[in-house]
Amino acid sequence: MVSHQQSLRDRQVASIEKILNLNHPAPEIPASHHDTPATNGHTPKATPILNSDGDPIWKVLVFDDLGRDVISSVLRVNDLRGWGVTIHLHINSQRHQIPDVPVLYLVEPTAANLQLIASDLSRNLYSDAYINFLYSISRPLMEDFAAQVANSATSEGIAQVYDQYLNFIVGEPDLFSLAMGKETYWALNSAQTADDVLDSMIDRIVTGLFSVVVTMGAIPIIRCPKGGAAEMIATKLDRKLRDHILNSKDNLFSNQGQRPSTANGTSTSRPVLVILDRSVDLIPMLSHSWTYQSLVHDVLKMHLNRITVETPVDENNLTKGTTKKSYDLNSNDFFWSRNAGVPFPQVAEDIDTELTKYKDDANDITRKTGASSLEDLQNDTSASAHHLKAAITLLPELRERKAILDMHMNIATALLKGIKDRQLDNYYQIEENITKQSKVQILELLNDEAKGKEPLDKLRLFIIWFLSTEQDVSRADMERFEEALTRAGADITALNYVKRVREITRMTMMTSAPTQPAPASASNEIFRGFSSIGNRLTDRLKDGALGANFENLISGVKNFLPANKDLTVTKITESIMDPASASSSAIAKTENYLYFDPRSANARGSMPAASQVRNQQAGIAGGLAPGSGASFGQRRQGFSEAIVFTVGGGSMDEYGNLQDWAKRTGGGGAGGPVGAPRRRVVYGSTDLVNAEDFVMGELARLGRESG
């Protein structure tokens, strides 16, 4: 029997639904039922608890910024309605009395939030208060809150107080961020950041990772490089997990029914948490990608799975201008779930396939009922009762499919416009073979006015080449490059900092082709996606999706498959999860990674000083003395499950690359050995940062300080 493996999103949704259900556990379902067709491999749905009259308990949901972001990333308003939430409000908004209705709070345990909750209690805004903190509240804050409640004599209004360990945002099934903003890399590397601020940031990261570990339900082995923020985070997290196990009689990991394999505590049945500093490889933060989710993140600035695109007001009359539409890309979107990580040309082809399938299904229904279209079917009463009943049953599903496909056609149009305007296909192709580019070729590209409309793209390409090339770049060469970038309109402030980290990043990057050869058909085949859409869809999309201008958008855009390469973070992960298959360079790079086992009496190191955090590559460039970290395992073992966390910003490219590697090399994968265990990699970061924010926000700020 195949065991059911829940994703991180499955587990977070289950935790949130339990909160919405007033912390009543979901009904137990036998393990043998997890993989039945009815559950479709997903977390079984719980049902709302009912009142004495058999009706759902209606309630008010109050959240702060983080609570809102946590919920909105995985649930929609209709989902909240299904759990009896009639209204949801921000804790800082003006809220009026709603008597006889319980309130759910999902907030950070801050002094300001606690004061607002105490104020709500004193004003009797709601009936019973169910208080849920996103992470564990400190004892001083809890005592202060208790004093406020006691002074107002409102303790009877509190029904529950829970620590929920949910202070992380899940964007994809196994992708999370701690929502720490787009300045983390700057703060960790800036000499202007005070030690107490650094300590606060490190503590927030440790708290977030602790919540992720609790949600996943297993205590991991922790691996990290020596020095920098990674070692401090690993050391503090190790101590936090240790203290929790030792000091909690009924600890959070003692009743993890979903993971019986972890009960014996063996390392092979537990996940490994790999904590890495962002400076191990800056290139994924800058690169131009060719996968759907990475393009959406880069071109359309996706945030919390939400994007805004411009669409024509009237497809048949483009002179009427455009309007902005916002879309949510969530787990209910079958097309996004299937295509997020695939190359964009394949996405275009799949849209064509799905639209053809939709039209065939719609035509089949209208043919059986005698109606001329689905719209006419709604108002047609002459159709036979039998066929009409079948049509009405299928109509909602067809309309939902059509709405999703129309949305992705609009997204594809916006992406194609961005690709053409900025020539992203050209930049991507060059970056695929960046180390083969000479100084003369790079300079010619920077001076070419026809290479896109966005100077930042040229700056990104140059930084990638500068960090990747083994050629010597003299001061005179650098001056010529800087002059060309300035003439192109780029702000080169970031280069002051990039020059300082070049040597370090050249020592840590290990981008290479995978050990398993790609199938010959995949390496040579060119997807027919663009030409397919251009030739076959233009006419059929005039009814509301794109219109006749789509073919013009496609013309001139290159259609190719990306090379199959493993990024540095993927190579590091492989060397720890599967050392037998990893390259010798990756093994050598991770051989001295520190080893923490919170369950063990050993593998515990001394706490580095906060000032050492700024030296992101202390283990290379000279920071902490050798041996000052924790001891590491004498025997290298493999893992089937990993959490990979980057400190200072995450990249959609790295997430997609890790998922591709796990599928390719794990059991059941195209390149995986027979009998190999299924691999799962959860990727997380302090925040997902797109290239523009990283270069113009963080690197440029560090560059100004360096200059």
Side-chain angles (χ1 to χ4, degrees), residues 647-679:
V647 184
S651 161
M652 273 292 187
D653 275 3
E654 282 179 336
Y655 170 66
N657 198 251
L658 283 165
Q659 299 309 308
D660 289 344
W661 171 80
K663 291 176 183 176
R664 188 178 70 242
T665 62
V674 177
R678 288 188 177 274
R679 290 205 174 97

Side-chain angles (χ1 to χ4, degrees), residues 25-244:
E28 289 293 330
I29 295 182
S32 59
H33 292 182
H34 278 309
D35 290 318
T36 61
T39 61
N40 197 27
H42 294 290
T43 307
K45 287 288 184 182
T47 54
I49 59 174
L50 308 177
N51 60 21
S52 57
D53 297 326
D55 298 321
I57 297 178
W58 304 111
K59 53 193 83 81
V60 176
L61 174 63
V62 175
F63 43 59
D64 59 3
D65 288 344
L66 184 56
R68 175 199 61 207
D69 292 346
V70 167
I71 292 178
S72 65
S73 294
V74 293
L75 297 178
R76 306 274 76 83
V77 173
N78 286 341
D79 299 321
L80 297 179
R81 294 283 185 272
W83 288 95
V85 176
T86 56
I87 187 171
H88 51 276
L89 301 165
H90 196 281
I91 194 168
N92 289 317
S93 65
Q94 184 176 0
R95 291 175 285 118
H96 303 286
Q97 189 175 34
I98 308 177
D100 303 323
V101 176
V103 59
L104 287 173
Y105 292 97
L106 185 62
V107 296
E108 293 186 79
T110 64
N113 285 341
L114 293 173
Q115 191 170 358
L116 288 169
I117 294 172
S119 174
D120 291 350
L121 292 168
S122 64
R123 291 186 294 153
N124 293 317
L125 288 190
Y126 315 103
S127 59
D128 295 325
Y130 295 80
I131 303 171
N132 299 275
F133 296 123
L134 286 164
Y135 50 91
S136 181
I137 185 172
S138 66
R139 185 177 183 88
L141 278 177
M142 191 65 193
E143 290 176 349
D144 183 61
F145 178 61
Q148 293 181 57
V149 172
N151 290 337
S152 59
T154 54
S155 59
E156 70 281 356
I158 300 177
Q160 294 176 351
V161 179
Y162 275 88
D163 293 331
Q164 294 292 353
Y165 304 100
L166 289 173
N167 54 320
F168 58 94
I169 294 171
V170 179
E172 294 292 322
D174 285 316
L175 170 70
F176 73 92
S177 80
L178 302 185
M180 293 182 63
K182 305 182 188 304
E183 294 186 344
T184 311
Y185 184 79
W186 165 80
L188 291 171
N189 289 276
S190 173
Q192 298 181 6
T193 308
D195 284 358
D196 59 335
V197 175
L198 284 175
D199 275 332
S200 177
M201 291 182 65
I202 296 299
D203 288 343
R204 183 174 173 183
I205 294 170
V206 170
T207 301
L209 286 176
F210 183 84
S211 295
V212 170
V213 169
V214 168
T215 301
M216 291 189 67
I219 298 174
I221 303 293
I222 305 172
R223 302 295 303 274
C224 73
K226 292 182 179 180
E231 180 183 351
M232 177 172 279
I233 292 165
T235 305
K236 286 193 171 186
L237 180 60
D238 174 63
R239 290 191 173 184
K240 188 176 181 71
L241 287 166
R242 241 176 238 283
D243 292 343
H244 176 77

Side-chain angles (χ1 to χ4, degrees), residues 536-691:
R536 298 170 56 197
L537 293 186
T538 301
D539 292 334
R540 77 176 66 163
L541 295 177
K542 290 180 181 179
D543 61 347
L546 283 182
N549 64 327
F550 195 71
E551 188 169 5
N552 294 329
L553 281 171
I554 296 166
S555 62
V557 175
K558 294 182 179 179
N559 185 4
F560 53 83
L561 284 173
N564 201 3
K565 291 185 177 180
D566 288 338
L567 300 176
T568 296
V569 168
T570 304
K571 300 297 289 183
I572 290 172
T573 303
E574 181 182 40
S575 71
I576 292 174
M577 290 186 72
D578 186 17
S581 301
S583 66
S584 57
S585 61
I587 291 289
K589 196 63 61 181
T590 59
E591 190 66 34
N592 292 321
Y593 271 34
L594 303 179
Y595 184 102
F596 299 84
D597 183 357
R599 285 190 181 277
S600 169
N602 303 315
R604 180 174 182 171
S606 59
M607 191 73 68
S611 59
Q612 296 290 354
V613 170
R614 294 190 188 87
N615 191 345
Q616 292 291 320
Q617 300 298 326
I620 298 172
L624 298 175
S628 63
S631 62
F632 56 91
Q634 300 299 312
R635 178 177 58 87
R636 184 179 296 274
Q637 72 271 350
F639 298 88
S640 61
E641 187 173 1
I643 308 167
V644 180
F645 185 81
T646 55
V647 184
S651 161
M652 273 292 187
D653 275 3
E654 282 179 336
Y655 170 66
N657 198 251
L658 283 165
Q659 299 309 308
D660 289 344
W661 171 80
K663 291 176 183 176
R664 188 178 70 242
T665 62
V674 177
R678 288 188 177 274
R679 290 205 174 97
R680 175 188 174 201
V681 180
V682 177
Y683 177 76
S685 63
T686 47
D687 213 331
L688 287 171
V689 185
N690 64 41

Side-chain angles (χ1 to χ4, degrees), residues 219 335 390 468 603:
I219 298 174
F335 191 87
S468 304

Side-chain angles (χ1 to χ4, degrees), residues 365-413:
I365 290 176
T366 55
R367 185 175 62 252
K368 288 180 179 179
T369 57
S372 59
S373 68
L374 292 181
E375 286 71 19
D376 293 339
L377 183 60
Q378 286 185 305
N379 303 317
D380 188 3
T381 58
S382 62
S384 65
H386 173 72
H387 290 307
L388 190 60
K389 180 179 179 182
I392 290 174
T393 303
L394 292 172
L395 267 176
E397 188 269 338
L398 280 174
R399 289 193 173 279
E400 183 179 359
R401 274 170 58 192
K402 182 62 163 57
I404 288 174
L405 292 175
D406 283 352
M407 175 182 75
H408 283 283
M409 290 302 290
N410 287 332
I411 294 172
T413 306

